[in-house]
């Protein structure tokens, strides 16, 4: 067995090995579309490291989530297809300068930054969200931009060498935002002064040329320099990324060399994580309705989503497919993890489940499935409360399952008793002192004694209780309905 039960433990120890008073965790995201499960990992994984660190050692930890609102708008997302005309007019502009096509927010970026804030609040994470344009406006990048301009040949060599890509002759670290048409993807620096920061650019879209200075903050650095720069500005100790950044020739390789050879500092600790998949496809490309996280968190508690994203190995691809038939199993898996007692005898899988629950768990007062069963019968929490204690936290999710048609088939029923003319002696044998398991077993005993298939009895009784061929476990159902009530209704 490995020394660490969970990757967050290993990374927290690696951080503590730096022996600092304050630790800085950074992460980043481009708010170009609705929050999907891949975006959740971008803030959840740093949060897991934060929590693992706090469990070991109560040192100060700062955590910044850099939101790249200066990235160029480059596609129409599925949820905004109806607004493609407006969006297409704004293509190539930084997300912050593109319009919100519905006119509800001040910019395209604001629409999704808002959504991101909302989703993050549901996960109760500790990252401070920082819009990268604010960092530019404060002049935090200026120093680095000058360093890159002054060392442009070396910087260019590092990028070419680490990416394996030839850069154009007139390549420049600065990506100007055109002052006429606002595009960032069509401009090119044609001359610059590496001491003063003056530069001149031309826009291939509108033909504009202009002399300006980096202190005007109408530019962004090329991505492979942008990334190590914000890490240096924040004095980051650790920042991870998906396999696309951490693959050979990816931007992590560039960042490491920029830190050590140009900025003269240690690069942050890096870690690589896998994709979240839906039926084998990357979530970010998923077009499934209801699969956006803003919808998912109405159906599944955020803690349970977090648990399921954290119970894997870090570099493993995560298959996450919350269909209405699977969600209940996911919730039960989470509730079972609450009961795991740590010991050396745990399997590797249970060690990870235990660790994921320790980071994001919430001990339920009563099983979700139990509440779902009683709610299916009574459809009124005040009536449910007469029979079982309820966990208030779960009530809104169960109600949402009903509102949105997310109740698994076995629980999607109403009580419609009909008189029976078969198996009467079985039902007559039930009494209120029997447990759900006793009732369940009585069917098997009866089946064996009378040479009838148990399935036939179950099917018959479900049909006479809830007018369906199947349902929740019969013992549980009869117990929840009340043995006396069932007997008087169907006998
Ligand atoms: Zn222009």
């Amino acid at each position: 067995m490995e020394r660490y039960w969970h990757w967050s433990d290993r990374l927290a120890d690696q951080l503590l090995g730096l022996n600092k008073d304050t630790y800085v965790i950074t992460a980043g995201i481009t708010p170009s579309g609705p929050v999907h499960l891949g975006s959740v990992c971008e803030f959840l994984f740093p949060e897991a490291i934060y929590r693992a660190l706090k469990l070991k050692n109560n040192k100060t930890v700062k955590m910044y989530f850099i939101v790249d609102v200066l990235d160029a708008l480059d596609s129409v997302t599925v949820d905004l297809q109806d607004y493609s005309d407006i969006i297409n007019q704004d293509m190539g502009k930084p997300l912050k300068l593109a319009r919100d096509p519905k006119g509800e927010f001040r910019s395209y970026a604001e629409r999704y930054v808002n959504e991101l804030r909302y989703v993050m609040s549901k996960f109760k994470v500790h990252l401070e969200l920082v819009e990268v344009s604010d960092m530019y406006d404060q002049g935090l990048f200026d120093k680095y931009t000058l360093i890159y301009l002054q060392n442009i040949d070396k910087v260019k060599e590092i990028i070419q060498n680490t990416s394996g890509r030839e850069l154009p002759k007139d390549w420049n670290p600065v990506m100007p935002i055109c002052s006429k048409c606002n595009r960032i993807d069509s401009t090119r620096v044609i001359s610059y002064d590496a001491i003063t920061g003056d530069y001149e650019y031309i826009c291939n879209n509108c033909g504009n040329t202009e002399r300006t200075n980096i202190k005007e903050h109408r530019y962004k650095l090329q991505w492979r320099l942008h990334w190590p720069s914000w890490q240096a500005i924040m004095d980051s100790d650790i920042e991870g990324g998906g396999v696309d950044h951490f693959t050979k020739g990816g931007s992590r390789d560039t960042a490491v060399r920029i830190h050590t050879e140009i900025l003269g500092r240690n690069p942050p600790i890096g870690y690589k994580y896998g994709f979240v998949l839906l039926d084998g496809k990357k979530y970010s490309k998923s077009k499934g309705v209801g699969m956006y996280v803003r919808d998912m968190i109405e159906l599944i508690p955020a803690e349970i989503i977090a648990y399921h994203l954290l119970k894997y190995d870090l570099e493993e691809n995560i298959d996450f497919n919350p269909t209405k038939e699977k969600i209940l199993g996911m919730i039960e898996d989470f509730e079972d993890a609450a009961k795991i007692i740590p010991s050396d005898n745990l399997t590797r899988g249970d060690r990870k489940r235990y660790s994921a629950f320790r980071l994001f768990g919430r001990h339920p007062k009563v099983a979700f499935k139990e509440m779902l069963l009683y709610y299916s019968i009574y459809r009124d929490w005040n009536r449910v409360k007469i029979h079982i204690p309820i966990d208030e936290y779960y009530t809104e999710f169960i109600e949402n399952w009903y509102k949105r048609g997310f109740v698994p088939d076995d629980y999607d029923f109403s009580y419609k008793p009909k008189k029976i003319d078969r198996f009467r002696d079985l039902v007559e044998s039930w009494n209120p002192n029997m447990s759900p398991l006793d009732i369940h077993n009585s069917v098997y005993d009866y089946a064996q004694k009378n040479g009838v298939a148990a399935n036939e009895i179950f099917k018959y009784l479900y049909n006479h209780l809830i007018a369906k061929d199947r349902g929740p476990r019969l013992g549980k159902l009869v117990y929840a309905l009340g043995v006396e009530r069932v007997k008087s209704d169907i006998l």
Side-chain angles (χ1 to χ4, degrees):
M1 286 279 188
E2 308 103 302
R3 174 164 165 218
Y4 292 106
W5 284 23
H6 195 257
W7 56 262
S8 62
D9 270 337
R10 173 173 54 79
L11 291 172
D13 264 1
Q14 234 178 304
L15 269 176
L16 288 170
L18 300 176
N19 217 354
K20 295 175 71 173
D21 289 328
T22 301
Y23 294 96
V24 180
I25 301 173
T26 50
I29 194 166
T30 297
S32 56
V35 178
H36 54 77
L37 282 175
S39 351
V40 170
C41 295
E42 313 271 9
F43 63 75
L44 189 67
F45 291 173
E47 176 71 17
I49 298 167
Y50 173 95
R51 293 189 184 194
L53 197 63
K54 286 285 185 185
L55 284 169
K56 286 173 190 285
N57 189 318
N58 200 23
K59 290 212 174 168
T60 311
V61 185
K62 290 184 181 162
M63 190 157 47
Y64 302 106
F65 198 32
I66 315 293
V67 186
D68 199 346
V69 294
L70 293 179
D71 230 16
L73 178 62
D74 66 357
S75 61
V76 181
T77 57
V78 178
D79 65 332
L80 294 176
Q81 288 295 338
D82 293 347
Y83 302 86
S84 57
D85 286 353
I86 300 177
I87 296 172
N88 282 324
Q89 289 167 19
D90 283 355
M91 281 294 172
K93 294 179 188 175
L95 298 168
K96 198 184 169 99
L97 297 179
R99 289 164 293 171
D100 171 37
K102 291 190 186 177
E104 295 166 353
F105 298 92
R106 279 174 301 178
S107 69
Y108 186 96
E110 191 179 274
R111 160 173 296 276
Y112 293 120
V113 172
N114 257 33
E115 184 177 314
L116 190 60
R117 280 185 200 279
Y118 166 71
V119 171
M120 286 170 72
S121 74
K122 290 285 181 179
F123 282 86
K124 301 187 180 74
V125 293
H126 297 82
L127 297 93
E128 183 185 327
L129 199 144
V130 182
E131 294 192 22
V132 86
S133 52
D134 290 341
M135 295 171 70
Y136 275 96
D137 288 346
Q138 288 162 31
L140 297 175
F141 281 91
D142 293 352
K143 174 177 128 190
Y144 298 94
T145 306
L146 286 178
I147 293 175
Y148 301 138
L149 288 173
Q150 285 155 18
N151 298 277
I152 193 163
D153 291 338
K154 177 72 180 162
V155 166
K156 190 174 174 185
E157 181 270 314
I158 290 174
I159 296 179
Q160 294 194 129
N161 208 288
T162 49
S163 69
R165 274 202 328 257
E166 187 83 13
L167 294 174
K169 254 205 169 86
D170 59 353
W171 177 87
N172 196 278
V174 173
M175 298 163 65
I177 299 166
C178 176
S179 62
K180 281 233 172 81
C181 72
N182 273 344
R183 283 179 72 145
I184 192 171
D185 70 337
S186 58
T187 53
R188 182 162 59 84
V189 172
I190 46 180
S191 69
Y192 64 92
D193 181 329
I195 304 300
T196 62
D198 284 337
Y199 66 94
E200 187 176 11
Y201 69 86
I202 182 165
C203 174
N204 294 334
N205 177 50
C206 71
N208 182 31
T209 60
E210 193 183 19
R211 287 196 70 82
T212 181
N213 187 283
I214 58 163
K215 292 204 169 57
E216 297 298 320
H217 307 131
R218 289 275 302 178
Y219 75 98
K220 184 193 155 180
L221 284 167
Q222 301 278 358
W223 163 248
R224 283 182 188 247
L225 300 172
H226 194 218
W227 197 26
S229 305
W230 88 45
Q231 293 172 338
I233 291 167
M234 296 304 194
D235 198 18
S236 173
D237 295 310
I238 187 165
E239 180 163 347
V243 283
D244 38 347
H245 295 307
F246 275 74
T247 186
K248 187 167 166 41
S251 44
R252 166 72 183 177
D253 285 350
T254 309
V256 168
R257 284 192 58 192
I258 294 293
H259 280 293
T260 50
E261 296 175 37
I262 303 292
L263 304 179
R265 67 187 299 279
N266 288 325
I269 296 166
Y271 60 93
K272 168 170 87 170
Y273 43 84
F275 294 116
V276 186
L277 304 175
L278 174 68
D279 287 336
K281 290 197 192 76
K282 260 174 85 176
Y283 239 96
S284 47
K285 306 275 184 260
S286 155
K287 296 186 177 184
V289 177
M291 285 308 127
Y292 293 133
V293 176
R294 63 177 183 233
D295 298 321
M296 212 182 282
I297 52 181
E298 311 275 306
L299 299 169
I300 316 173
E303 291 84 355
I304 298 183
I305 297 174
Y307 162 82
H308 281 283
L309 293 172
L310 290 171
K311 68 171 192 180
Y312 293 88
D313 285 330
L314 185 58
E315 297 189 11
E316 199 175 342
N317 287 336
I318 299 170
D319 223 316
F320 197 107
N321 193 2
T323 60
K324 71 174 185 179
E325 300 307 331
K326 282 189 183 161
I327 290 189
L328 196 55
M330 291 172 68
I331 294 175
E332 286 185 290
D333 178 312
F334 173 84
E335 289 177 345
D336 285 345
K339 297 175 200 145
I340 297 176
I341 295 161
S343 93
D344 289 342
N345 301 324
L346 289 183
T347 62
R348 204 169 163 268
D350 277 349
R351 290 177 177 201
K352 287 187 284 185
R353 290 175 67 217
Y354 168 81
S355 305
F357 188 87
R358 193 165 82 121
L359 293 172
F360 261 90
R362 182 192 162 277
H363 286 269
K365 293 190 198 119
V366 55
F368 188 93
K369 201 172 176 174
E370 194 81 357
M371 281 179 61
L372 179 64
L373 172 64
Y374 279 83
Y375 189 76
S376 299
I377 295 170
Y378 298 105
R379 307 291 169 106
D380 174 351
W381 292 116
N382 286 326
R383 292 182 63 197
V384 170
K385 273 188 215 167
I386 297 169
H387 301 275
I388 54 164
I390 68 170
D391 190 332
E392 301 283 351
Y393 182 74
Y394 279 156
T395 55
E396 63 166 299
F397 296 100
I398 292 174
E399 288 167 20
N400 287 341
W401 282 23
Y402 272 93
K403 277 185 219 150
R404 316 245 171 112
F406 240 79
V407 181
D409 285 346
D410 282 357
Y411 287 83
D412 199 1
F413 65 84
S414 44
Y415 183 48
K416 293 174 190 152
K418 283 194 297 247
K419 298 291 179 193
I420 55 171
D421 48 27
R422 299 177 67 194
F423 314 123
R424 290 180 61 90
D425 39 345
L426 165 65
V427 175
E428 274 160 3
S429 75
W430 293 344
N431 71 66
N433 297 325
M434 291 170 89
S435 70
L437 187 62
D438 293 338
I439 298 168
H440 190 76
N441 288 340
S442 73
V443 175
Y444 285 102
D445 291 344
Y446 183 93
Q448 205 169 22
K449 271 185 209 141
N450 295 279
V452 194
N455 280 347
E456 195 185 327
I457 306 176
F458 282 123
K459 190 172 162 186
Y460 183 83
L461 290 176
Y462 282 128
N463 269 288
H464 287 78
L465 289 168
I466 57 175
K468 290 178 68 172
D469 286 346
R470 40 178 302 161
R473 301 259 295 186
L474 188 76
K476 290 243 182 211
L477 177 65
V478 170
Y479 185 86
L481 288 164
V483 169
E484 292 296 4
R485 176 183 177 196
V486 167
K487 286 171 82 169
S488 79
D489 285 346
I490 68 172
L491 281 175

